[in-house]
Amino acid sequence: MSEFTTPAFGTTTGAQAYEFLDTTSFVRVPSEATDGHHSVVEMRLREGHAPPMHVHERADEVIHVVDGELEAHTPDGVIVVAAGGSIVFPRGEEHSLVAREETTIVTSATPGGFDEFVKTAGEPTDDESVPSRPPDEDAIDRVMEAAPVHGIDIVGPPPGGSQ
């Protein structure tokens, strides 16, 4: 990874939308724009969104809640994060999220790479609305296949057994 010396900017328009599990996600700042140091992804979560418990082995993850409310699940308990709040998961920390309502988050990973996971496991879409249904088996299979390649270990089911 080279030195990151030039500011990288993201925009709210013009980004490709990806259906990633049961979210609509947009890469706002790709890791390639920061020489691999950071990536920023906006994710629009459907109510009930709950990925499996997982660990990012190579990256710290910052989640900022723009709209809505979610639960952050760790082995130590559950923390509710409302609009305007943020949570930082250090690499190696088991976690998941549950959207209590339709929620928009911005996820930043250091070093970058989460954007590549979203593009690999997601499907490009022209529909920018929030999905209304849980992810299908194909979406789950893509995540399960791509996760290890991107330094993400799936360590358990979604909190509460939901999807």
Side-chain angles (χ1 to χ4, degrees):
M1 189 175 340
S2 62
E3 189 174 338
F4 171 52
T5 59
T6 305
F9 298 93
T11 66
T12 57
T13 59
Q16 172 65 59
Y18 292 88
E19 188 170 335
F20 174 70
L21 288 173
D22 54 347
T23 76
T24 300
S25 297
F26 304 84
V27 174
R28 296 301 184 201
V29 179
S31 54
E32 66 191 25
T34 66
D35 294 322
H37 288 261
H38 308 276
S39 60
V40 179
V41 177
E42 176 188 337
M43 304 177 82
R44 298 174 186 167
L45 318 176
R46 76 169 180 90
E47 181 178 351
H49 167 78
M53 292 296 287
H54 61 280
V55 175
H56 297 263
E57 293 293 346
R58 298 186 280 219
D60 301 318
E61 183 180 33
V62 177
I63 307 242
H64 178 74
V65 179
V66 177
D67 290 311
E69 185 173 80
L70 56 77
E71 299 170 356
H73 290 252
T74 71
D76 296 328
V78 178
I79 298 166
V80 175
V81 185
S86 300
I87 187 164
V88 180
F89 294 109
R91 67 192 74 200
E93 172 75 20
E94 181 178 325
H95 66 278
S96 185
L97 306 170
V98 176
R100 292 178 138 190
E101 59 190 75
E102 194 171 290
T103 299
T104 300
I105 63 174
V106 174
T107 301
S108 175
T110 305
F114 184 69
D115 59 317
E116 293 299 324
F117 177 55
V118 168
K119 292 192 294 189
T120 299
E123 289 284 319
T125 181
D126 292 328
D127 183 0
E128 295 187 6
S129 63
V130 177
S132 60
R133 65 192 189 303
D136 62 26
E137 289 301 317
D138 287 341
I140 293 168
D141 289 346
R142 286 192 306 274
V143 165
M144 297 301 284
E145 184 177 317
V149 175
H150 293 276
I152 300 170
D153 293 329
I154 307 298
V155 297
S162 62
Q163 289 186 8

